[in-house]
Amino acid sequence: MMKLDNYEELLGTLLEKLAETNQTQTAATSEPRRIPVGISNRHIHLSQKDVEKLFGYDYQITKLKDLSQPGQFACKETVMICGPKGAIEKVRILGPVRKQTQVEILQSDSFKLGVKAPLRLSGDLTGAGSITLIGPKGSAEIIEGVIVAKRHIHMLPNEAIQFGVHDGESVTIELPGERGGSLANVIIRAVENSGLECHIDTEEANALGLTPNTEIVIKKNNR
C-alpha cells in the first residue's frame, strides 16, 4: 500500500509536469500569426463601358493569370495612362470588370503625370483624380477614378476574429529585415471571399526591402 508521503510527492511532481506542459502550449499558441505580403504595382480596374471605349464594341477582357484574391485576375490587355505632364505606357488591366473605372498609381506617378491622386482605399472614388486612358481602339476620360492605394490587409471575417481586429480598423504591422520596422495606418479589410494578404505598393516595398516572400505580423491596434 502506497504511503501518504509518497503519494503527495508523486502528485506534486505530476502537477508540476502539467503546469510546464500548459506553459509550453500557451507559448506556442501565443506566437503571432504571420501574413503574406502582396506587392502591388500601378494597375487599372475598368468598367465594361470603358472596356468598349478602349478596345471596341462588346470586347471582353482576357485572363492572363489568377491573382491571390479569389476571383481576381491580371489581364493580357494594357493601356496608356495620360495626364497634363506626361504618360505611362503598358499599364496592366485587372479583372473582372467593375461598375466604375479605378486607376491605381504610385505616388511618384502622380508627379510624372501631373494628376491629383488622393490616398484612398479601393472603391472610395468621390473626389478622386481624373486621367485619360488610351487603348488600341479609342480613349476614355476618367473624371473621378485615380487614387494611390492605402496599405491594407485582406482577410475573412472569421480570421479578423482570430486576429482580434475588425473591418475598417487601422493597425500597426511589424516588418522583418534589415530595412524593416513598423508601419502604422494599415487598414483591415475583412469581407467574405478574401485571401489573407497584406497589400503594399512597390514604392513602399522597395523602401522597406520587402519581397513577395515577406511575411508580416500585426503588432498592435492603433487605439
Side-chain angles (χ1 to χ4, degrees):
M1 186 173 184
M2 182 182 295
K3 293 182 178 179
L4 183 60
D5 54 350
N6 288 342
Y7 172 78
E8 292 177 345
E9 181 180 349
L10 289 171
L11 181 61
T13 301
L14 178 60
L15 291 174
E16 288 178 3
K17 293 294 183 182
L18 287 173
E20 289 175 3
T21 301
N22 289 336
Q23 288 175 355
T24 301
Q25 290 176 343
T26 300
T29 56
S30 65
E31 281 292 319
R33 184 177 175 187
R34 298 188 176 277
I35 300 171
V37 169
I39 300 173
S40 179
N41 201 353
R42 66 182 73 88
H43 60 270
I44 303 169
H45 302 276
L46 288 175
S47 67
Q48 182 58 34
K49 179 181 178 180
D50 286 332
V51 168
E52 296 185 16
K53 286 182 179 179
L54 297 169
F55 296 97
Y57 176 72
D58 207 27
Y59 188 89
Q60 302 296 311
I61 53 177
T62 311
K63 181 189 291 189
L64 178 64
K65 64 177 181 178
D66 289 316
L67 301 177
S68 59
Q69 294 306 303
Q72 297 189 25
F73 53 91
C75 301
K76 293 181 179 179
E77 294 84 2
T78 64
V79 298
M80 180 188 298
I81 58 176
C82 302
K85 293 184 178 180
I88 299 175
E89 296 182 337
K90 297 182 179 180
V91 180
R92 184 71 55 189
I93 295 169
L94 302 187
V97 294
R98 294 189 176 185
K99 292 182 179 179
Q100 184 175 355
T101 291
Q102 176 175 293
V103 182
E104 297 183 36
I105 62 175
L106 307 176
Q107 189 67 61
S108 59
D109 292 342
S110 66
F111 305 127
K112 178 178 181 178
L113 297 166
V115 300
K116 179 183 74 171
L119 188 65
R120 299 281 183 83
L121 288 175
S122 179
D124 183 6
L125 299 179
T126 302
S130 59
I131 203 165
T132 301
L133 308 181
I134 307 293
K137 296 293 182 66
S139 63
E141 298 290 335
I142 310 303
I143 304 304
E144 286 184 320
V146 184
I147 63 171
V148 174
K150 283 186 177 181
R151 48 187 177 249
H152 55 278
I153 302 174
H154 290 286
M155 62 178 64
L156 294 168
N158 67 312
E159 290 175 319
I161 294 173
Q162 294 169 13
F163 282 106
V165 297
H166 59 79
D167 184 50
E169 185 172 359
S170 176
V171 301
T172 295
I173 61 174
E174 184 78 15
L175 304 111
E178 294 181 355
R179 303 184 72 181
S182 298
L183 278 181
N185 303 317
V186 184
I187 308 301
I188 300 297
R189 307 212 76 177
V191 296
E192 296 294 346
N193 201 34
S194 293
L196 183 63
E197 191 170 53
C198 177
H199 282 186
I200 296 175
D201 72 29
T202 54
E203 287 183 333
E204 290 186 314
N206 290 339
L208 294 162
L210 305 183
T211 71
N213 296 321
T214 301
E215 294 181 325
I216 61 94
V217 297
I218 296 176
K219 183 179 179 182
K220 64 181 181 65
N221 298 345
N222 297 338
R223 293 172 178 166

